[in-house]
Amino acid sequence: MTDGSGFLPWHFGRLAVIDTETTGLSPELGDRVIEVAVVCFEGGEVVHRWSTLLDPGAPLPAATVRITGITDADVRGKPTFAAIHGEILALLHQR
């Protein structure tokens, strides 16, 4: 099924969608990623789902807990972003 130009519509290709939760919007001020999720699609179908909580190395701000529902207890002992970035890159390879 082409779009008339001879190319498949974008959603029929290989695609990865990434969602994150963070402690804020300013990494230069110390805000960190606390959750990452990746959903991989091929031909318009979900072929893989992956997610993890991450330990930001500091207590979560009250606003972050209120907005995300993620607590310090949830992230305590979880991997850091540095520890899992290779997994994310592998999921995104050729997508």
Side-chain angles (χ1 to χ4, degrees):
M1 168 188 280
T2 68
D3 65 2
S5 67
F7 295 100
L8 289 174
W10 66 268
H11 61 276
F12 279 101
R14 297 179 70 179
L15 174 71
V17 177
I18 304 168
D19 182 45
T20 61
E21 297 292 347
T22 67
T23 60
L25 301 175
S26 303
E28 69 278 3
L29 298 177
D31 290 327
R32 297 290 178 255
V33 177
I34 58 171
E35 184 177 28
V36 178
V38 179
V39 179
C40 300
F41 296 85
E42 289 184 19
E45 300 291 325
V46 174
V47 295
H48 187 71
R49 295 173 194 259
W50 178 90
S51 67
T52 189
L53 291 169
L54 300 169
D55 189 335
L60 299 178
T64 297
V65 175
R66 187 173 57 256
I67 292 166
T68 67
I70 298 169
T71 67
D72 286 320
D74 294 330
V75 298
R76 190 174 300 116
K78 298 297 183 184
T80 63
F81 186 85
I84 59 91
H85 80 275
E87 285 183 73
I88 295 170
L89 291 175
L91 287 169
L92 301 179
H93 184 70
Q94 295 183 352
R95 296 215 179 262

Coordinates of all heavy atoms in Angstrom, one line a residue:
M1 N 0.8 -1.2 0.0 CA 0.0 0.0 0.0 C 0.9 1.2 0.0 O 1.5 1.5 1.0 CB -0.9 0.0 1.2 CG -1.6 1.3 1.5 SD -2.5 1.4 3.0 CE -3.9 0.5 2.6
T2 N 1.0 1.9 -1.1 CA 1.8 3.1 -1.2 C 0.9 4.3 -1.1 O -0.3 4.3 -1.1 CB 2.6 3.2 -2.6 OG1 1.6 3.4 -3.6 CG2 3.4 1.9 -2.8
D3 N 1.6 5.5 -0.9 CA 0.8 6.8 -0.7 C 0.7 7.5 -2.1 O 0.3 8.6 -2.1 CB 1.6 7.7 0.3 CG 2.9 8.1 -0.2 OD1 3.3 7.7 -1.3 OD2 3.6 8.8 0.5
G4 N 0.9 6.8 -3.2 CA 0.8 7.4 -4.5 C 2.1 7.8 -5.1 O 2.2 8.0 -6.3
S5 N 3.1 8.0 -4.2 CA 4.4 8.4 -4.7 C 5.3 7.2 -4.9 O 6.5 7.4 -5.3 CB 5.1 9.4 -3.6 OG 5.3 8.6 -2.5
G6 N 4.8 6.0 -4.6 CA 5.7 4.8 -4.7 C 6.3 4.4 -3.4 O 7.0 3.4 -3.3
F7 N 6.1 5.3 -2.4 CA 6.7 5.0 -1.0 C 5.6 4.6 -0.1 O 4.4 5.0 -0.2 CB 7.4 6.2 -0.5 CG 8.6 6.7 -1.2 CD1 8.5 7.7 -2.1 CD2 9.8 6.0 -1.1 CE1 9.6 8.1 -2.9 CE2 10.9 6.4 -1.8 CZ 10.8 7.5 -2.7
L8 N 5.9 3.7 0.8 CA 5.0 3.3 1.9 C 4.8 4.5 2.8 O 5.7 5.2 3.1 CB 5.5 2.1 2.7 CG 5.6 0.8 2.0 CD1 6.2 -0.3 2.9 CD2 4.1 0.3 1.7
P9 N 3.6 4.6 3.4 CA 3.3 5.7 4.4 C 4.3 5.4 5.6 O 4.7 4.3 5.8 CB 1.9 5.4 4.8 CG 1.3 4.7 3.7 CD 2.3 3.9 3.1
W10 N 4.7 6.5 6.2 CA 5.7 6.4 7.3 C 5.3 5.4 8.4 O 6.2 4.7 8.9 CB 5.9 7.8 8.0 CG 4.6 8.3 8.7 CD1 3.6 9.0 8.2 CD2 4.3 8.0 10.1 NE1 2.7 9.3 9.2 CE2 3.0 8.6 10.3 CE3 4.8 7.2 11.1 CZ2 2.4 8.5 11.5 CZ3 4.2 7.1 12.3 CH2 3.0 7.8 12.5
H11 N 4.1 5.2 8.7 CA 3.7 4.2 9.7 C 3.8 2.8 9.3 O 3.6 1.9 10.2 CB 2.3 4.6 10.3 CG 1.2 4.5 9.3 ND1 0.9 5.5 8.4 CD2 0.4 3.5 9.0 CE1 -0.1 5.2 7.6 NE2 -0.4 3.9 7.9
F12 N 4.1 2.5 8.1 CA 4.3 1.1 7.6 C 5.8 0.7 7.7 O 6.1 -0.4 7.5 CB 3.7 0.9 6.2 CG 2.3 0.6 6.3 CD1 1.4 1.7 5.9 CD2 1.7 -0.6 6.6 CE1 0.0 1.5 5.9 CE2 0.4 -0.8 6.7 CZ -0.5 0.3 6.3
G13 N 6.6 1.6 8.0 CA 8.1 1.3 8.1 C 8.4 0.8 9.5 O 7.6 0.5 10.3
R14 N 9.7 0.9 9.7 CA 10.2 0.5 11.1 C 10.3 1.8 11.9 O 10.9 2.8 11.4 CB 11.6 -0.1 11.0 CG 11.5 -1.4 10.2 CD 12.9 -2.0 10.1 NE 13.3 -2.5 11.4 CZ 14.4 -3.1 11.7 NH1 15.3 -3.3 10.8 NH2 14.7 -3.5 12.9
L15 N 9.7 1.8 13.1 CA 9.6 3.0 13.8 C 9.7 2.7 15.3 O 9.3 1.6 15.8 CB 8.2 3.6 13.5 CG 7.7 4.8 14.3 CD1 8.5 6.0 13.9 CD2 6.2 5.0 14.1
A16 N 10.3 3.6 16.1 CA 10.4 3.5 17.5 C 9.8 4.8 18.1 O 10.1 5.9 17.7 CB 11.8 3.2 18.0
V17 N 9.0 4.6 19.1 CA 8.4 5.8 19.8 C 9.0 5.7 21.2 O 9.0 4.7 21.9 CB 6.9 5.7 19.9 CG1 6.3 6.8 20.7 CG2 6.3 5.7 18.5
I18 N 9.5 6.9 21.7 CA 10.2 6.9 23.0 C 9.3 7.9 23.9 O 8.9 8.9 23.5 CB 11.6 7.5 22.9 CG1 12.4 6.7 21.9 CG2 12.3 7.6 24.3 CD1 13.7 7.3 21.5
D19 N 9.1 7.4 25.1 CA 8.5 8.3 26.1 C 9.3 8.3 27.4 O 10.0 7.3 27.7 CB 7.1 7.7 26.5 CG 6.4 8.5 27.5 OD1 6.3 9.8 27.3 OD2 5.8 8.0 28.5
T20 N 9.4 9.5 28.0 CA 10.3 9.7 29.2 C 9.5 10.4 30.2 O 8.5 11.2 30.0 CB 11.5 10.5 28.9 OG1 11.2 11.8 28.4 CG2 12.4 9.8 27.9
E21 N 9.9 10.1 31.5 CA 9.5 10.9 32.6 C 10.7 11.5 33.2 O 11.8 10.8 33.2 CB 8.7 10.1 33.7 CG 7.4 9.5 33.2 CD 6.3 10.5 32.9 OE1 6.4 11.7 33.3 OE2 5.3 10.2 32.2
T22 N 10.7 12.7 33.6 CA 11.9 13.4 34.2 C 11.6 14.1 35.5 O 10.4 14.3 35.9 CB 12.4 14.4 33.2 OG1 11.5 15.5 33.1 CG2 12.7 13.8 31.8
T23 N 12.6 14.6 36.2 CA 12.4 15.3 37.4 C 12.2 16.8 37.1 O 12.0 17.6 38.0 CB 13.7 15.2 38.3 OG1 14.8 15.7 37.6 CG2 13.9 13.7 38.7
G24 N 12.3 17.2 35.8 CA 12.1 18.6 35.4 C 12.5 18.8 34.0 O 12.8 17.8 33.3
L25 N 12.6 20.0 33.6 CA 12.9 20.3 32.2 C 14.3 20.9 32.0 O 14.6 21.3 30.9 CB 11.8 21.3 31.7 CG 10.4 20.8 31.7 CD1 9.4 21.9 31.3 CD2 10.2 19.5 30.9
S26 N 15.1 20.9 33.0 CA 16.4 21.6 32.9 C 17.6 20.7 33.3 O 18.0 20.7 34.4 CB 16.4 22.9 33.7 OG 15.3 23.7 33.4
P27 N 18.1 19.9 32.4 CA 19.2 19.0 32.7 C 20.4 19.8 33.2 O 21.2 19.4 34.1 CB 19.5 18.3 31.5 CG 18.8 18.9 30.4 CD 17.7 19.7 31.0
E28 N 20.6 21.1 32.7 CA 21.7 21.9 33.2 C 21.6 22.3 34.6 O 22.5 22.7 35.3 CB 21.9 23.1 32.3 CG 20.8 24.1 32.4 CD 19.5 23.8 31.6 OE1 19.4 22.8 30.9 OE2 18.6 24.7 31.6
L29 N 20.3 22.2 35.2 CA 20.1 22.5 36.6 C 20.0 21.2 37.4 O 19.7 21.2 38.6 CB 18.8 23.3 36.8 CG 18.8 24.7 36.1 CD1 17.5 25.4 36.3 CD2 20.0 25.5 36.6
G30 N 20.3 20.0 36.8 CA 20.3 18.8 37.6 C 19.1 17.9 37.4 O 19.0 16.8 38.0
D31 N 18.2 18.3 36.5 CA 17.0 17.4 36.3 C 17.5 16.2 35.6 O 18.4 16.2 34.7 CB 15.9 18.2 35.5 CG 15.3 19.3 36.3 OD1 15.1 19.1 37.6 OD2 14.9 20.3 35.7
R32 N 16.8 15.1 35.9 CA 17.2 13.8 35.3 C 16.0 13.0 34.8 O 14.9 13.2 35.3 CB 18.0 12.9 36.4 CG 19.2 13.6 36.9 CD 20.3 13.5 35.8 NE 21.5 14.1 36.2 CZ 22.0 15.3 35.8 NH1 21.2 16.0 35.0 NH2 23.1 15.8 36.2
V33 N 16.3 12.0 34.0 CA 15.3 11.1 33.5 C 15.1 10.0 34.6 O 16.0 9.5 35.2 CB 15.8 10.3 32.2 CG1 14.8 9.3 31.7 CG2 16.1 11.4 31.1
I34 N 13.8 9.7 34.8 CA 13.4 8.7 35.9 C 12.7 7.5 35.3 O 12.5 6.5 36.0 CB 12.7 9.4 37.0 CG1 11.4 10.0 36.6 CG2 13.6 10.3 37.8 CD1 10.5 10.5 37.7
E35 N 12.2 7.7 34.0 CA 11.6 6.5 33.4 C 11.7 6.7 31.9 O 11.6 7.8 31.4 CB 10.1 6.4 33.7 CG 9.4 5.2 33.1 CD 8.0 5.1 33.5 OE1 7.3 6.1 33.8 OE2 7.5 4.0 33.6
V36 N 12.0 5.5 31.2 CA 12.1 5.5 29.7 C 11.2 4.3 29.3 O 11.3 3.2 29.8 CB 13.5 5.3 29.3 CG1 13.6 5.2 27.7 CG2 14.4 6.4 29.7
A37 N 10.5 4.6 28.2 CA 9.7 3.5 27.6 C 10.0 3.6 26.1 O 10.0 4.7 25.5 CB 8.2 3.6 27.9
V38 N 10.1 2.5 25.4 CA 10.3 2.4 23.9 C 9.3 1.4 23.4 O 9.2 0.3 23.9 CB 11.7 2.0 23.6 CG1 11.9 1.9 22.0 CG2 12.7 3.0 24.2
V39 N 8.6 1.8 22.4 CA 7.7 0.9 21.7 C 8.1 0.8 20.2 O 8.3 1.9 19.6 CB 6.2 1.3 21.7 CG1 5.3 0.3 21.0 CG2 5.7 1.4 23.2
C40 N 8.4 -0.4 19.7 CA 8.9 -0.6 18.4 C 7.8 -1.1 17.5 O 7.1 -2.0 17.9 CB 10.1 -1.5 18.4 SG 11.5 -1.0 19.4
F41 N 7.7 -0.5 16.3 CA 6.7 -0.9 15.3 C 7.4 -1.4 14.0 O 8.4 -0.9 13.7 CB 5.8 0.3 14.9 CG 5.0 0.9 16.1 CD1 5.6 1.8 16.9 CD2 3.7 0.5 16.2 CE1 4.8 2.3 18.0 CE2 3.0 1.1 17.3 CZ 3.5 2.0 18.1
E42 N 6.7 -2.3 13.4 CA 7.1 -2.7 12.0 C 5.8 -3.0 11.2 O 5.0 -3.7 11.7 CB 8.0 -4.0 12.0 CG 9.4 -3.7 12.6 CD 10.3 -4.9 12.5 OE1 10.0 -5.9 11.7 OE2 11.3 -4.9 13.2
G43 N 5.7 -2.4 10.1 CA 4.5 -2.5 9.3 C 3.2 -2.1 10.0 O 2.2 -2.7 9.8
G44 N 3.3 -1.1 10.8 CA 2.2 -0.6 11.5 C 1.8 -1.4 12.8 O 0.8 -1.1 13.4
E45 N 2.6 -2.5 13.1 CA 2.2 -3.4 14.2 C 3.3 -3.2 15.3 O 4.5 -3.1 15.0 CB 2.2 -4.8 13.8 CG 1.2 -5.1 12.7 CD -0.3 -5.0 13.3 OE1 -0.5 -5.3 14.4 OE2 -1.1 -4.5 12.5
V46 N 2.9 -3.3 16.6 CA 3.8 -3.3 17.7 C 4.6 -4.6 17.7 O 3.9 -5.7 17.7 CB 3.1 -3.1 19.0 CG1 4.1 -3.2 20.2 CG2 2.4 -1.7 19.1
V47 N 5.9 -4.5 17.7 CA 6.7 -5.8 17.7 C 7.5 -5.9 19.0 O 8.1 -7.0 19.3 CB 7.6 -5.9 16.5 CG1 6.8 -6.0 15.2 CG2 8.6 -4.7 16.4
H48 N 7.7 -4.8 19.7 CA 8.4 -4.9 21.0 C 8.1 -3.7 21.9 O 7.9 -2.6 21.4 CB 9.9 -4.9 20.7 CG 10.8 -5.1 21.9 ND1 10.9 -6.3 22.5 CD2 11.6 -4.3 22.6 CE1 11.8 -6.2 23.5 NE2 12.2 -5.0 23.6
R49 N 8.0 -4.0 23.2 CA 7.8 -2.9 24.2 C 8.9 -3.1 25.3 O 9.2 -4.2 25.7 CB 6.5 -3.1 24.9 CG 5.3 -2.8 24.0 CD 4.0 -3.2 24.7 NE 2.9 -3.3 23.8 CZ 2.0 -2.4 23.6 NH1 2.0 -1.2 24.2 NH2 1.0 -2.6 22.8
W50 N 9.4 -2.0 25.7 CA 10.5 -2.0 26.7 C 10.3 -0.8 27.6 O 10.1 0.3 27.1 CB 11.8 -2.0 26.0 CG 13.0 -2.0 27.0 CD1 13.6 -3.1 27.5 CD2 13.7 -0.9 27.5 NE1 14.7 -2.7 28.3 CE2 14.8 -1.3 28.3 CE3 13.6 0.5 27.3 CZ2 15.6 -0.5 28.9 CZ3 14.5 1.3 27.9 CH2 15.5 0.8 28.7
S51 N 10.5 -0.9 28.9 CA 10.5 0.2 29.8 C 11.3 -0.1 31.1 O 11.4 -1.2 31.4 CB 9.1 0.7 30.1 OG 8.4 -0.3 30.9
T52 N 11.7 1.0 31.7 CA 12.4 0.9 33.0 C 12.3 2.2 33.7 O 12.3 3.2 33.2 CB 13.9 0.5 32.8 OG1 14.4 0.1 34.0 CG2 14.7 1.6 32.1
L53 N 12.3 2.0 35.1 CA 12.5 3.2 35.9 C 14.0 3.4 36.1 O 14.7 2.4 36.0 CB 11.8 2.9 37.3 CG 10.3 2.9 37.3 CD1 9.7 2.4 38.6 CD2 9.7 4.3 37.0
L54 N 14.4 4.6 36.4 CA 15.8 4.9 36.6 C 16.0 5.7 37.9 O 15.1 6.5 38.3 CB 16.3 5.8 35.4 CG 16.1 5.2 34.1 CD1 16.4 6.2 33.0 CD2 17.1 4.0 33.9
D55 N 17.1 5.4 38.6 CA 17.5 6.1 39.8 C 18.2 7.4 39.4 O 19.3 7.4 38.8 CB 18.4 5.3 40.6 CG 18.6 5.8 42.0 OD1 18.5 7.1 42.2 OD2 18.9 5.0 42.9
P56 N 17.6 8.6 39.7 CA 18.3 9.9 39.3 C 19.4 10.2 40.2 O 20.1 11.2 40.0 CB 17.1 10.9 39.4 CG 16.3 10.3 40.5 CD 16.3 8.8 40.4
G57 N 19.6 9.5 41.3 CA 20.7 9.8 42.2 C 20.4 10.9 43.2 O 21.3 11.4 43.9
A58 N 19.2 11.3 43.3 CA 18.8 12.4 44.2 C 17.3 12.2 44.5 O 16.6 11.6 43.7 CB 19.0 13.8 43.6
P59 N 16.8 12.7 45.7 CA 15.4 12.7 46.0 C 14.6 13.3 44.9 O 15.0 14.3 44.3 CB 15.3 13.4 47.3 CG 16.6 13.4 47.9 CD 17.6 13.4 46.7
L60 N 13.4 12.8 44.6 CA 12.5 13.3 43.6 C 11.8 14.6 44.2 O 11.3 14.6 45.3 CB 11.4 12.3 43.2 CG 11.9 11.0 42.5 CD1 10.8 10.1 42.2 CD2 12.7 11.3 41.3
P61 N 11.7 15.6 43.4 CA 10.9 16.8 43.8 C 9.5 16.4 44.0 O 8.9 15.6 43.3 CB 11.1 17.8 42.7 CG 12.3 17.3 41.9 CD 12.3 15.9 42.1
A62 N 8.8 17.1 45.0 CA 7.4 16.8 45.2 C 6.6 17.0 44.0 O 5.6 16.2 43.8 CB 6.9 17.8 46.4
A63 N 6.9 18.0 43.2 CA 6.1 18.2 41.9 C 6.2 17.0 41.0 O 5.3 16.7 40.3 CB 6.6 19.5 41.2
T64 N 7.4 16.4 40.9 CA 7.6 15.3 40.1 C 6.7 14.1 40.5 O 6.1 13.4 39.7 CB 9.1 14.8 40.0 OG1 9.8 15.9 39.5 CG2 9.3 13.6 39.2
V65 N 6.7 13.9 41.8 CA 5.9 12.8 42.4 C 4.4 13.0 42.1 O 3.7 12.1 41.7 CB 6.2 12.6 43.9 CG1 5.2 11.6 44.5 CG2 7.6 12.3 44.2
R66 N 4.0 14.3 42.3 CA 2.6 14.6 42.1 C 2.2 14.4 40.6 O 1.2 13.9 40.3 CB 2.4 16.1 42.5 CG 0.9 16.5 42.5 CD 0.7 17.9 43.1 NE 1.5 18.9 42.4 CZ 2.6 19.5 42.9 NH1 3.0 19.1 44.1 NH2 3.2 20.5 42.2
I67 N 3.1 14.8 39.7 CA 2.8 14.8 38.2 C 2.9 13.3 37.7 O 2.0 12.9 36.9 CB 3.7 15.7 37.4 CG1 3.4 17.1 37.8 CG2 3.6 15.4 35.9 CD1 4.5 18.1 37.3
T68 N 3.9 12.6 38.1 CA 4.2 11.3 37.5 C 3.6 10.1 38.4 O 3.4 9.0 37.8 CB 5.7 11.0 37.4 OG1 6.3 10.9 38.7 CG2 6.3 12.1 36.5
G69 N 3.4 10.3 39.7 CA 3.1 9.2 40.5 C 4.2 8.3 40.9 O 4.1 7.3 41.6
I70 N 5.4 8.6 40.4 CA 6.6 7.9 40.7 C 7.2 8.4 42.0 O 7.4 9.6 42.1 CB 7.6 8.0 39.5 CG1 7.0 7.4 38.2 CG2 8.9 7.3 39.8 CD1 7.8 7.7 37.0
T71 N 7.6 7.5 42.9 CA 8.1 8.0 44.2 C 9.6 7.6 44.3 O 10.1 6.8 43.5 CB 7.3 7.3 45.3 OG1 7.6 5.9 45.3 CG2 5.8 7.5 45.2
D72 N 10.2 8.1 45.4 CA 11.6 7.8 45.7 C 11.7 6.3 45.9 O 12.7 5.7 45.4 CB 12.1 8.5 46.9 CG 12.3 10.0 46.7 OD1 12.9 10.3 45.6 OD2 12.0 10.8 47.6
A73 N 10.8 5.6 46.5 CA 10.8 4.2 46.7 C 10.8 3.4 45.4 O 11.4 2.4 45.3 CB 9.7 3.8 47.6
D74 N 10.1 4.0 44.4 CA 10.0 3.3 43.1 C 11.3 3.3 42.4 O 11.6 2.3 41.7 CB 9.0 4.0 42.2 CG 7.5 3.9 42.7 OD1 7.2 2.9 43.4 OD2 6.8 4.9 42.4
V75 N 12.1 4.4 42.5 CA 13.3 4.5 41.8 C 14.6 4.0 42.5 O 15.6 3.8 41.9 CB 13.5 5.9 41.2 CG1 12.4 6.2 40.2 CG2 13.7 6.9 42.3
R76 N 14.4 3.9 43.9 CA 15.6 3.5 44.7 C 16.1 2.1 44.2 O 15.4 1.2 44.1 CB 15.2 3.4 46.2 CG 16.4 3.3 47.1 CD 15.9 3.4 48.6 NE 15.3 4.6 48.9 CZ 14.0 4.8 49.2 NH1 13.2 3.7 49.3 NH2 13.5 6.0 49.5
G77 N 17.4 2.1 43.9 CA 18.1 0.9 43.5 C 17.9 0.5 42.1 O 18.5 -0.5 41.6
K78 N 17.2 1.3 41.3 CA 17.0 1.1 39.9 C 18.3 1.5 39.2 O 19.1 2.2 39.7 CB 15.8 1.8 39.3 CG 14.5 1.4 39.9 CD 14.2 0.0 39.6 CE 12.8 -0.3 40.2 NZ 12.5 -1.7 40.0
P79 N 18.5 1.1 37.9 CA 19.8 1.5 37.2 C 19.7 3.0 36.9 O 18.7 3.6 36.9 CB 19.7 0.7 35.9 CG 18.3 0.3 35.7 CD 17.7 0.2 37.1
T80 N 20.9 3.5 36.6 CA 21.0 4.9 36.2 C 20.9 4.9 34.7 O 20.9 3.9 34.0 CB 22.4 5.5 36.6 OG1 23.4 4.7 35.8 CG2 22.7 5.4 38.1
F81 N 20.7 6.1 34.2 CA 20.6 6.3 32.7 C 21.8 5.8 32.0 O 21.8 5.1 31.0 CB 20.3 7.7 32.3 CG 20.0 7.9 30.9 CD1 18.7 7.7 30.3 CD2 21.0 8.3 30.0 CE1 18.5 7.8 29.0 CE2 20.8 8.4 28.6 CZ 19.5 8.1 28.1
A82 N 23.0 6.2 32.6 CA 24.3 5.7 32.1 C 24.4 4.2 31.9 O 25.0 3.7 31.0 CB 25.4 6.3 32.9
A83 N 23.7 3.5 32.9 CA 23.8 2.0 32.8 C 22.9 1.4 31.8 O 23.2 0.3 31.3 CB 23.4 1.5 34.2
I84 N 21.9 2.1 31.3 CA 21.0 1.5 30.3 C 21.0 2.2 29.0 O 20.3 1.7 28.1 CB 19.5 1.5 30.9 CG1 19.0 2.9 31.2 CG2 19.4 0.6 32.1 CD1 18.2 3.5 30.1
H85 N 21.7 3.2 28.8 CA 21.7 3.9 27.5 C 22.0 3.0 26.3 O 21.5 3.2 25.2 CB 22.5 5.2 27.5 CG 24.0 5.0 27.3 ND1 24.8 4.7 28.3 CD2 24.7 5.1 26.2 CE1 26.0 4.6 27.9 NE2 26.0 4.8 26.6
G86 N 22.9 2.0 26.5 CA 23.3 1.1 25.5 C 22.1 0.3 25.0 O 21.9 -0.1 23.8
E87 N 21.2 -0.1 26.0 CA 20.0 -0.9 25.6 C 19.1 -0.1 24.8 O 18.5 -0.6 23.8 CB 19.2 -1.3 26.9 CG 19.9 -2.4 27.7 CD 19.0 -2.8 28.9 OE1 17.9 -3.4 28.7 OE2 19.4 -2.5 30.0
I88 N 18.9 1.2 25.1 CA 18.1 2.1 24.3 C 18.7 2.2 22.9 O 17.9 2.1 21.9 CB 18.0 3.5 25.0 CG1 17.3 3.4 26.3 CG2 17.2 4.5 24.1 CD1 17.3 4.6 27.2
L89 N 20.0 2.5 22.8 CA 20.6 2.6 21.5 C 20.4 1.3 20.6 O 20.1 1.4 19.4 CB 22.1 2.9 21.6 CG 22.4 4.3 22.1 CD1 23.9 4.4 22.3 CD2 21.9 5.4 21.2
A90 N 20.5 0.2 21.3 CA 20.2 -1.1 20.6 C 18.8 -1.2 20.0 O 18.5 -1.7 18.9 CB 20.6 -2.3 21.5
L91 N 17.8 -0.8 20.9 CA 16.4 -0.8 20.4 C 16.2 0.2 19.3 O 15.3 -0.1 18.4 CB 15.5 -0.4 21.6 CG 15.3 -1.5 22.7 CD1 14.6 -0.8 23.9 CD2 14.6 -2.6 22.2
L92 N 16.9 1.3 19.2 CA 16.7 2.3 18.2 C 17.5 2.0 16.9 O 17.2 2.7 15.9 CB 17.0 3.7 18.8 CG 16.2 4.1 20.0 CD1 16.7 5.5 20.4 CD2 14.7 4.1 19.7
H93 N 18.4 1.1 17.0 CA 19.3 0.8 15.8 C 18.4 0.5 14.6 O 17.6 -0.4 14.6 CB 20.2 -0.3 16.1 CG 21.2 -0.6 15.1 ND1 22.2 0.3 14.7 CD2 21.3 -1.6 14.2 CE1 22.9 -0.2 13.7 NE2 22.4 -1.3 13.4
Q94 N 18.6 1.2 13.5 CA 18.0 1.1 12.2 C 16.5 1.3 12.3 O 15.7 0.7 11.6 CB 18.3 -0.3 11.6 CG 19.7 -0.5 11.3 CD 20.0 -1.8 10.6 OE1 19.1 -2.7 10.6 NE2 21.2 -1.9 10.1
R95 N 16.0 2.2 13.2 CA 14.6 2.5 13.3 C 14.4 3.9 12.9 O 15.0 4.8 13.1 CB 14.0 2.3 14.7 CG 14.1 0.8 15.0 CD 12.9 0.4 15.9 NE 13.0 -1.0 16.1 CZ 12.4 -2.0 15.4 NH1 11.6 -1.7 14.5 NH2 12.5 -3.2 15.7

